[in-house]
Amino acid sequence: MCRWLVFLSEEDFLLADVVIEPANSLSKQSFDGGFHPGLCETNNMVLNADGFGLGWYGRSGAAIFRSVTPAWNNRNLRELCRSVESSCVFAHVRAATPGSVISEANCHPFRCGPLLFQHNGHIEQYARIKRRVLAELRDDVFGWLEGTTDSEACFALVLNFLEPALLRDDHDRAAPARVPVAAMRAAMLGAIALLRKFLAEEQARADARRALDSRGMKLRPRSRSRFMSAGDRRLLEHELRADRRPHGRRHALLRPGEHGAVTSSLSVEKI
């Protein structure tokens, strides 16, 4: 699982004082995360080597720096953090889901206009609703997408609930753009509700498909079937032997050492 931090202050601070220098800084955790009680082995990563990202707000608004190299040995990260001051910083070190793409576009945080977004973990069963999520996006938001992660797609869903004028990437203005808190809150809650709706509907469709499959077939007990066994005795080992019959060659499922087919069984027939 990835690790991230957000630090907000009333006064500007040097990014290195939060991201690099502390004994338990995020850059140090990226190669020596230690143990976190309550997390399973799968989610308790001790190495976050699949890239990192840094986001901050300056005079001209939001900015990001991302790389696919590990955070602990990136010289540019150290140089940047020891030179840049801000009152708000986002930092993220990635442990990618096995099989996912390692690329700069997939590193967090993501930026769209004045907004920064980063995420930890994954969206459960996202592959089943990915098409619906992307189809929901308006053209300007869909065109903004660069990576392949569920995190970025979910951020895009949040952006979809905001007016395009709030997402303008205009660094030439004297005052950076700001998204009203109420609008941001409504967009976040709207995106979460839509994800839950998609997942619930997909689960309902999956349940319906299973129900149809089960109604289309029924189990009927029959003796001397050669394919399935049912009875009081548990069969630990079987042999598959050829049994020649006048009407052709069939396979019989036998107990070791026996010369007859298993007789207590179930066969499947269509209703």
Side-chain angles (χ1 to χ4, degrees), residues 42 121 165 173 183 201 217 249 258:
T42 303
R173 290 180 295 181
E201 291 175 351
M217 309 291 287
R249 182 183 180 91
E258 291 186 355

Side-chain angles (χ1 to χ4, degrees), residues 31 155 236 241:
F31 67 87
F155 182 33
L236 300 179
R241 295 182 179 177

Side-chain angles (χ1 to χ4, degrees), residues 20-63:
I20 302 292
E21 302 300 338
N24 62 341
S25 69
L26 196 64
S27 64
K28 292 183 174 66
Q29 288 187 46
S30 65
F31 67 87
D32 186 18
F35 176 70
H36 294 268
L39 294 180
C40 66
E41 262 186 40
T42 303
N43 291 329
N44 191 34
M45 299 295 185
V46 295
L47 192 69
N48 296 83
D50 298 322
F52 71 89
L54 193 67
W56 68 94
Y57 286 88
R59 291 182 179 179
S60 59

Side-chain angles (χ1 to χ4, degrees), residues 137 141 144-145 151-161:
L137 305 179
V141 176
W144 166 84
L145 281 171
S151 301
E152 187 184 29
C154 290
F155 182 33
L157 205 57
V158 173
L159 300 176
N160 207 61
F161 280 89

Side-chain angles (χ1 to χ4, degrees), residues 2-25:
C2 305
R3 301 172 190 269
W4 60 262
L5 71 82
V6 176
F7 194 89
L8 183 64
S9 172
E10 293 182 353
E11 299 179 354
D12 287 353
F13 56 88
L14 200 62
L15 300 192
D17 291 340
V18 174
V19 180
I20 302 292
E21 302 300 338
N24 62 341
S25 69

